[in-house]
Each structure stands twice: as C-alpha cells, then as structure tokens.
C-alpha cells in the first residue's frame, strides 16, 4: 500500500495527551494490482511449413486436432539414431517484458519419451526445459517455471532469462527403453508474465481510532 499519511496526536500545553478525536481521515493509496500478460510465440496456425528438421529423423505436419486456432503441429519422430529436433524457419520472438512461465498445449503419445524445448534470451543464453514425460495421450496444458531450466549454456552465463526471448527448438529424446518412434501434437506456445501495474492512488476514510461505548 502506498501514499499513507501519518497524523500527530494532540498534546496539551502542560504536556499531557489531549482528547483524541473520534475519527481521523488518512489518504491511502490503492493496492498494487496485476493482470497476467501473455506473449504467444507460436500458434501453429500457419502450419508445419514454418518448422524445419534440425536433428534426427522427425516429420513435421499439421493436425486438425487443436486447442485453439486452425490447427496444431504434428511432430512425428524416430529415435533410432538419436534425438529428433525441429526448429522454426523464422524466429519466434517474445515482447520485451519479464515473463514467469512458459505454457504449451500438448497431446502426448503415451510412449514415455521426453519432450523438451529451448529458449534463447537477448544475450544469446540457451535455456532448455522439459515440457512433458509423455506418459499420457490426452490434451493437457503444461506450465513451466522459467526460473528452473534443466540446462543453461552460452550467452552471458547469468542464468537469468533476459527479454526478448526466442523459441529456438523443440525436440524429443528417448527415455531408457521406451519406444523409438511416436508422434506428439503441440499447440499454442506462449510466455506468461505477472503484468504488474500501479494504479493511481485514491482517498479513502480510515476506521475510527476511538469510539464511545
């Protein structure tokens, strides 16, 4: 709370405490409030053509199954020779503000393999996050704490995600003896922030300091 004014208690000439008024008025600033802000990195409404293979043997396509928009990304993979990785053909860059979470809508394939994504910050630092262990096969929204990456490399090395942020890659890696092939649907990749704002203070009446009984 901001903008609170203090008030002095009345003192008599002899130094004793004078009668305390039944009420006083103070100016109280309104409580700081926030509205969540969202920056969509990829909706996949442009189709799979906007994504390209960067490692392994993945296939990229469009699925009519979706959470929002006109479609989702169908990411097929074969992990026989290692992980399968795809990258956006053009950079997917966030707005220049602070974000707290990465959210992605995912329909896993139930294989138990691991889906991951890498973000790159303004300094060129790479932050890799585990999105899902893919043990289920129904749509879910995963929410990732951006302060807890699984791996960090390059850039200024401060482990702080400096905006603007770029979606660099999405990939699948095999978990132990899990199946080597499968397909996962991905939709609506976005960054979510607190969006803190400070409204203009307003005057409000205080409660009574003293009351008669």
């Amino acid at each position: 709370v901001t903008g609170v004014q203090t008030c002095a208690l009345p003192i008599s000439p002899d130094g004793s405490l004078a009668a305390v008024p039944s009420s006083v008025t103070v100016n109280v600033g309104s409580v700081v409030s926030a509205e969540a802000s969202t920056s969509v990195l990829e909706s996949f409404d442009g189709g799979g053509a906007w994504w390209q293979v960067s490692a392994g043997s993945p296939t990229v396509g469009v699925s009519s199954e979706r959470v929002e928009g006109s479609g989702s990304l169908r990411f097929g993979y074969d992990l026989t020779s290692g992980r399968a990785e795809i990258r956006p053909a053009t950079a997917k860059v966030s707005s220049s503000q602070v974000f707290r979470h990465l959210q992605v809508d995912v329909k896993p394939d139930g294989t138990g393999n691991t889906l991951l994504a890498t973000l790159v910050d303004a300094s060129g630092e790479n932050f890799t996050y585990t999105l899902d262990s893919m043990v289920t096969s129904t749509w879910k929204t995963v929410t990732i704490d951006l302060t807890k990456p699984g791996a960090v490399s390059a850039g200024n090395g401060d482990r702080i995600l400096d905006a603007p942020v770029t979606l660099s890659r999405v990939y699948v890696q095999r978990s132990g003896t899990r199946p080597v092939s499968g397909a996962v649907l991905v939709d609506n990749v976005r960054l979510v922030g607190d969006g803190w704002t400070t409204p203009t203070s307003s005057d409000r009446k205080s409660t009574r300091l003293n009351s008669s009984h």
Side-chain angles (χ1 to χ4, degrees):
V1 176
T2 60
V4 176
Q5 293 184 351
T6 60
C7 60
L9 294 176
I11 304 296
S12 298
D14 61 1
S16 62
L17 181 65
V20 178
S22 61
S23 66
V24 295
T25 299
V26 295
N27 295 325
V28 181
S30 55
V31 177
V32 175
S33 63
E35 294 182 0
S37 57
T38 301
S39 180
V40 177
L41 290 177
E42 178 60 275
S43 65
F44 301 105
D45 291 339
W50 297 108
W51 286 72
Q52 58 193 15
V53 174
S54 55
S57 303
T59 58
V60 180
V62 179
S63 173
S64 60
E65 292 188 67
R66 63 194 184 278
V67 173
E68 59 81 40
S70 59
S72 65
L73 176 76
R74 184 184 185 278
F75 179 7
Y77 60 87
D78 185 329
L79 308 176
T80 303
S81 58
R83 76 183 186 196
E85 178 182 300
I86 57 176
R87 293 178 180 270
T90 56
K92 307 295 182 179
V93 185
S94 74
S95 58
S96 296
Q97 63 187 82
V98 177
F99 295 100
R100 184 175 298 274
H101 296 103
L102 171 67
Q103 288 188 332
V104 186
D105 296 319
V106 178
K107 185 179 182 183
D109 55 10
T111 60
N113 291 313
T114 305
L115 178 68
L116 305 99
T118 298
L119 303 178
V120 180
D121 77 356
S123 76
E125 194 168 6
N126 296 280
F127 294 75
T128 297
Y129 302 90
T130 297
L131 299 183
D132 196 54
S133 57
M134 301 207 295
V135 294
T136 61
S137 56
T138 56
W139 280 106
K140 65 172 72 175
T141 297
V142 296
T143 301
I144 306 300
D145 185 344
L146 292 175
T147 66
K148 299 178 180 179
V152 178
S153 63
N156 59 16
D158 65 358
R159 300 183 69 87
I160 297 174
L161 196 63
D162 304 309
V165 176
T166 303
L167 176 59
S168 174
R169 61 180 176 170
V170 176
Y171 63 99
V172 176
Q173 63 183 23
R174 192 178 184 189
S175 301
T177 58
R178 296 290 186 170
V180 296
S181 62
V184 56
L185 303 184
V186 183
D187 199 9
N188 199 21
V189 181
R190 67 268 192 198
L191 297 172
V192 180
D194 291 330
W196 287 100
T197 59
T198 306
T200 304
S201 62
S202 60
D203 293 340
R204 295 190 295 180
K205 298 286 185 180
S206 73
T207 57
R208 288 180 181 271
L209 295 178
N210 182 33
S211 59
S212 58
H213 298 282

